[in-house]
Structure formats: structure tokens, C-alpha cells
Amino acid sequence: MPKILLEAQDIHVNYGAIQALAGFSLKLMENEIVSVIGANGAGKSTFMNALMGMVKVSKGDIFLDGYPLSSKNYKVVRSGLALVPEGRRVFAPLTVEENLRIGAFTRKETADLQEDYDWVFSLFPILKERLNQYAGTLSGGEQQMLAIARALMARPRVLLLDEPSLGLAPIIIREIFRELKRVNEQGVSILLVEQNARQALLLSHRAYVLQTGRLLKEGLSKDLLEDKDIKAAYLGQSA
Amino acid sequence: MAFTFSTFIQQVINGLSLGSVYALIAVGYSLVYSILLFSNFAHGGFLVVGGYACYYLLTQWGYGVSVSMFGALIASGITAVITERLAYKPIRERTSLTLYLLIASMGVNIIIENLFVVTVGGRIRALPQNTFPTGVFSLWGGVTLSASDILSLVTAVIFLGLLQVFLNRTRWGLAIRAAACDIRTAGLMGVNVTFLISLVFFVAGVLAAVGGIFLSVRYSLYPQLGSITTKAFIAAVIGGLGSLPGAVVGSLILGLAEMLTAGFISSQMRDLVVYSLLVIMLLIRPAGFFGKEISEKI
């Protein structure tokens, strides 16, 4: 029986009078890849931000290893969650190397980061070539790779990705998703939110479908890929 | 007034000395602006706290110069941190509009100024004569270089150098640079943003106190001394708000412009030239020499 790593129960988030999440629950097992798919405005990013302590949860609980997760952003990172934010958000005026170093901010000051650099360079070799370049000069795909590598420098137990495929060419998306699979095989659990439902379902083991802040459907990704309604609504195929 | 080479050199020396004091103050302004994107007008208040702390440590409690200066830097730094916690943090947590922070900072400045007026009085004070070396060196052609000019230049270079090392060589320095680019994402890296902002205010307060002490040596000490930071603010705008090299360059330009105007035109024209520089800069290059383009900021 696989162990539950991260569990969100009945999460509610309000922006003023608008209810962005109305009781969404999710489980992430150890070594699992879970995706959350849904249309624009379904509450996917809000859910990620709620987990990270970036928005206030008005009701609901979040547990990591069965213990309540802090609602303070920096403490969440320290307990082992790292988010690759929507739109990459690399630090443009800093070099690639500095971006990676700030990613390791929560690590012990004395920690030897060489192994981590080697790890992220093995995933995305282009970053090693760009090491002393300003992050703002990288292409979109390279920036996404940097954003992922930066999050991995924190040695997270759960890697969260918010729309990693946004605005990228299909060939780059495939490359990035292939490397995410390798990251997962090395023991990092992954929680992914995507509008690109096909890519997300192909990568993940299980998936949740979110619609206007509520769960519409959940199941094994391979089943959802064959699901009539999902095909029609999210995969751009007629039933 | 006739143009003479020795007058020119003299005024350049005076200008650099004044500019270096402006730089200490302007860099603090810019540092806060780079993180929170508002002009902290309470910065003048921090400077006054530093000046008075140094004065009282020296004259009332009889500490030596170095202890008094150190105490003044700490007092000003702590004032800056408390100001942020009491006046700015509650606003930051409620709105992302920086205009409210700007207004609050003006209020804090008025409070600090008047706290000194009601407690120690508005009269003008001077730091004791023997506080700093007072020697004057004669160079050629009547040009003089005072020990306090050298001291303010050297001190400014040391403090700005230390700041540079802090920002470029330390973990928290890197975090501050990242936060200046995108504070939310810096939080995602596990940086305690609340602590980071306090740290930035502390550093800004310390730099303001150094400026305050040199200003009270150069001029004198009174509760409204902080209003001179308007000049440092202009220097920061000319250099490009949020840019530290910009703040230094802007300060030196302003110091030189003021002193050359005083030397060759008239002392009364100093402020006219300073404000004209500001207007011209805002017309030609609103983002300043080193500022980010406005479109990037939005």
C-alpha cells in the first residue's frame, strides 16, 4: 500500500466575494505523478498557491506526511514543497548560476551543492552552457528548464508545476515532460496543473478534473484519456 | 565671479564630498524602492534619529566617537525596522497599491521630526568640535582639502563597498537582489520575505545614519535636517530609482552641480540648478540613467 505524501482536504479559497475553490480534495502518494486539469479559471493555480501558502485558505486542511502543513510560504518550502510558478518567473537580471543558487536558499549554508548542480545539468545540459548568462536572455523553453532546475535545487519531496507547457513549442514540451518523468523516477513526487490536458494525462499516473472550483472527475490518467466527456471537453476530440 | 582653475578644483572637491553624503542617503532610498516600489519619505527621519543618537551618546553619555557612531547606526536601523513593522506592513498586507505606503511614509517623517521638536526642542545643535579630525590641508593655488571631506568620502566608499559585498557575496544579498526583481517568487524560493524586508530597512536605516552624522558635522543638527534628503531623493531619481549604481552616480552629479553652481554663479542658485536638473531628467529620460524602463515595472 503506497504511503500518502501530500493530502489536501476540502480546500476553500475566496477572493473577496468570488469563490475560487469550493471544497477541493486531493491526495498525492509517494513517487506518484498527479495532474490537475481544467479550463482557464477552474482554480488550478489557486490550488497550487494555496498549497504553497501564497493565498489564504478559508477552510480546509493540508497535510504532508500526515502532519499539518504551515500556512507560511517559506516554511512550506522548507518542509519540502517547491513550486515552478506559472509563466516561469525566472529572475531575469540574475545569471543562470545565481538563479540556481537562490533555488537552494533553504538548504544548509554548508551544503555541498555540486551534486545538485550535476543533477540538474544532467536533466537540462543547456543550462550548463548558459551558466553565466542572464536568465532574461534565455529562450522561453530554456527559461522553463531553468525554473524547474531552480525548484529542484531545493531538493523537494514534492515538485509542483503550474502550467509548465504554457507558450512553448511542442518539441520543447515533449523534452521537458520527458525530463520530468526522469525526475519522478529518482524519487520526487510531482503535482502538475495543466491546460494542456493530453500532455498532463500522458505523464501522470492519476488525475483530477477541476471545474469552477469543484472536482468534476478523478481517476487513473489512462482511463481519463479514454473518457468520452473528458475527450470532448478537454482533449479537443468529439465523442 | 571669474573662472579660475583653482576654484574649479576646489568646488569639485567640495562637490564630491557633498555627493558622497548624498550617495549614502540615496542608496538607502533606492534599496527600499527596489524591493517595495515606493519612495520612503521617512528616510529623512531615520537620518535625524541617527544624528541625534550620535549627539546624545557623545555629549550626554560621554561615549567615544566610534561607540557613539555605532550606537547611532543601530538606533537608526532599528527605527527603520520598527517603522516598517508598524506603519508599512499593515498596509502591505491589505493592498498592493504603493501610493498608501508613500503617504504613510510622509506621515512617519512628520511624526519623527515633531517627536524631536517636542522632546529635545527645535534648536540647532552642533556635534562637539573634536568629534572628527578638523585639519585642513593646503594644496596648490589656495585649494584646500579638509579632513572631514576626506573622511566623508572614505566613509562613503567603505559603506557602499560593504553594501556591494553584502549584496553580491552573501546568501541574503542574493535573496535581496532576487526580491528586487520579483518578491513573490523570492518567497517561493523559501526566503522569509517579512524578514528580508526588515533587513532591507535596517540596512537603509544604517546608511541614513551615516549620512545624518556627516550632515550634522557639515551643517548642524536640528529636527528638520531630514528634509535635506529631498536632494538625495532627486539624486536617486536622476540615477534611476531602484538602481544602486544609479543612486551613487546621481548623487555625485548633484553634489558637483551644486558646488560648481555655488562656486561660479551664486550660492543661492544651487537649488534652482538641482531642481532644473530633475525637471530636465524627467522630461528626457524619466527612468533615470540606470532605471528600469517604466514598461518593465508595470
Side-chain angles (χ1 to χ4, degrees):
Chain A
M1 181 79 191
K3 209 170 135 254
I4 299 173
L5 182 57
L6 181 71
E7 181 167 15
Q9 288 176 351
D10 196 30
I11 303 294
H12 289 70
V13 175
N14 302 313
Y15 296 125
I18 301 159
Q19 196 164 38
L21 281 176
F24 180 59
S25 302
L26 174 146
K27 278 180 197 155
L28 175 71
M29 306 294 168
E30 255 174 12
N31 288 325
E32 195 181 27
I33 306 180
V34 163
S35 58
V36 178
I37 59 175
N40 202 2
K44 303 187 302 298
S45 293
T46 300
F47 178 62
M48 292 302 230
N49 288 333
L51 291 176
M52 293 305 295
M54 305 279 281
V55 298
K56 210 171 149 241
V57 175
S58 53
K59 185 173 164 242
D61 300 291
I62 304 164
F63 301 96
L64 182 72
D65 282 328
Y67 295 100
L69 196 66
S70 170
S71 61
K72 285 208 166 90
N73 182 215
Y74 71 97
K75 287 189 178 163
V76 173
V77 181
R78 269 179 219 172
S79 49
L81 270 65
L83 172 68
V84 180
E86 184 176 355
R88 310 183 276 273
R89 300 241 161 227
V90 296
F91 299 109
L94 304 186
T95 64
V96 168
E97 193 266 334
E98 286 173 327
N99 269 274
L100 294 174
R101 193 140 45 87
I102 189 81
F105 188 82
T106 51
R107 308 280 298 282
K108 282 207 190 82
E109 200 133 3
T110 51
D112 183 13
L113 299 178
Q114 195 50 52
E115 214 176 289
D116 305 271
Y117 283 115
D118 292 344
W119 182 39
V120 299
F121 293 152
S122 76
L123 297 168
F124 305 115
I126 190 78
L127 295 180
K128 194 171 185 175
E129 290 169 36
R130 302 267 188 267
L131 202 56
N132 295 314
Q133 248 173 270
Y134 290 111
T137 65
L138 302 183
S139 71
E142 290 165 351
Q143 287 190 10
Q144 187 63 64
M145 294 173 194
L146 176 58
I148 294 169
R150 183 181 64 178
L152 291 175
M153 290 299 285
R155 285 272 166 178
R157 300 180 60 200
V158 185
L159 179 68
L160 299 94
L161 299 110
D162 193 348
E163 304 274 4
S165 73
L166 197 72
L168 300 181
I171 185 167
I172 305 286
I173 297 175
R174 276 197 293 278
E175 184 185 344
I176 287 175
F177 275 61
R178 192 181 63 225
E179 298 310 317
L180 287 177
K181 200 167 181 63
R182 275 179 63 197
V183 169
N184 174 248
E185 283 160 7
Q186 291 172 40
V188 181
S189 305
I190 294 180
L191 180 61
L192 172 77
V193 309
E194 264 294 353
Q195 277 192 66
N196 188 338
R198 174 173 304 281
Q199 282 297 339
L201 291 175
L202 284 172
L203 176 72
S204 58
H205 305 116
R206 285 187 309 118
Y208 295 75
V209 184
L210 195 56
Q211 192 179 51
T212 56
R214 286 188 174 82
L215 179 73
L216 184 71
K217 211 165 233 177
E218 65 168 292
L220 294 175
S221 298
K222 62 177 194 312
D223 296 340
L224 290 174
L225 271 170
E226 300 304 321
D227 187 291
K228 259 194 208 154
D229 301 336
I230 301 298
K231 269 185 175 172
Y234 299 101
L235 299 173
Q237 299 168 351
S238 50
Chain B
M1 240 177 273
F3 181 91
T4 59
F5 188 64
S6 61
T7 315
F8 178 73
I9 296 294
Q10 182 69 63
Q11 293 311 97
V12 166
I13 291 170
N14 294 344
L16 289 177
S17 163
L18 180 64
S20 66
V21 178
Y22 285 163
L24 286 166
I25 304 167
V27 162
Y29 252 120
S30 259
L31 196 59
V32 169
Y33 185 93
S34 72
I35 301 287
L36 294 181
L37 300 180
F38 82 104
S39 291
N40 174 30
F41 286 108
H43 203 66
F46 305 160
L47 174 158
V48 174
V49 170
Y52 274 100
C54 186
Y55 175 82
Y56 279 103
L57 284 167
L58 273 171
T59 59
Q60 304 291 307
W61 290 297
Y63 288 105
V65 176
S66 44
V67 174
S68 301
M69 275 192 77
F70 183 75
L73 306 195
I74 301 296
S76 178
I78 290 173
T79 307
V81 172
I82 292 173
T83 298
E84 199 284 318
R85 286 290 164 105
L86 292 183
Y88 305 156
K89 191 162 176 269
I91 298 176
R92 280 196 288 112
E93 283 167 353
R94 284 172 179 78
T95 171
S96 55
L97 273 180
T98 54
L99 178 66
Y100 296 118
L101 293 171
L102 186 100
I103 295 167
S105 77
M106 291 172 170
V108 171
N109 196 39
I110 294 169
I111 290 171
I112 294 178
E113 214 176 278
N114 286 286
L115 272 180
F116 281 103
V117 172
V118 295
T119 53
V120 302
R123 96 186 153 80
I124 292 174
R125 291 157 206 272
L127 291 181
Q129 276 295 309
N130 55 356
T131 308
F132 293 114
T134 48
V136 174
F137 308 99
S138 283
L139 306 176
W140 70 97
V143 176
T144 60
L145 184 60
S146 76
S148 72
D149 285 339
I150 301 174
L151 196 65
S152 67
L153 256 173
V154 169
T155 310
V157 168
I158 290 172
F159 273 88
L160 296 176
L162 284 175
L163 178 67
Q164 202 61 27
V165 170
F166 170 65
L167 289 177
N168 286 317
R169 294 285 148 87
T170 69
R171 222 165 133 253
W172 277 99
L174 178 63
I176 289 172
R177 286 188 294 137
C181 164
D182 182 345
I183 195 161
R184 244 178 103 80
T185 306
L188 281 178
M189 303 296 110
V191 176
N192 181 346
V193 171
T194 306
F195 179 79
L196 181 135
I197 291 172
S198 290
L199 183 65
V200 164
F201 271 85
F202 185 79
V203 171
V206 165
L207 293 172
V210 181
I213 292 167
F214 278 107
L215 280 177
S216 31
V217 172
R218 177 181 282 272
Y219 302 109
S220 51
L221 183 59
Y222 49 98
Q224 292 80 21
L225 180 66
S227 64
I228 209 158
T229 52
T230 310
K231 298 280 182 60
F233 171 67
I234 294 170
V237 171
I238 288 175
L241 263 179
S243 157
L244 303 190
V248 174
V249 170
S251 298
L252 294 178
I253 289 175
L254 214 62
L256 288 171
E258 268 194 49
M259 285 306 171
L260 289 173
T261 308
F264 291 110
I265 305 169
S266 140
S267 227
Q268 275 121 40
M269 300 289 274
R270 278 165 68 164
D271 287 356
L272 186 68
V273 169
V274 165
Y275 285 98
S276 304
L277 269 178
L278 176 66
V279 170
I280 292 166
M281 196 65 190
L282 288 177
L283 285 174
I284 298 173
R285 220 183 132 81
F289 283 120
F290 293 83
K292 298 181 218 171
E293 289 302 319
I294 302 296
S295 58
E296 277 179 50
K297 278 179 183 162
I298 294 169

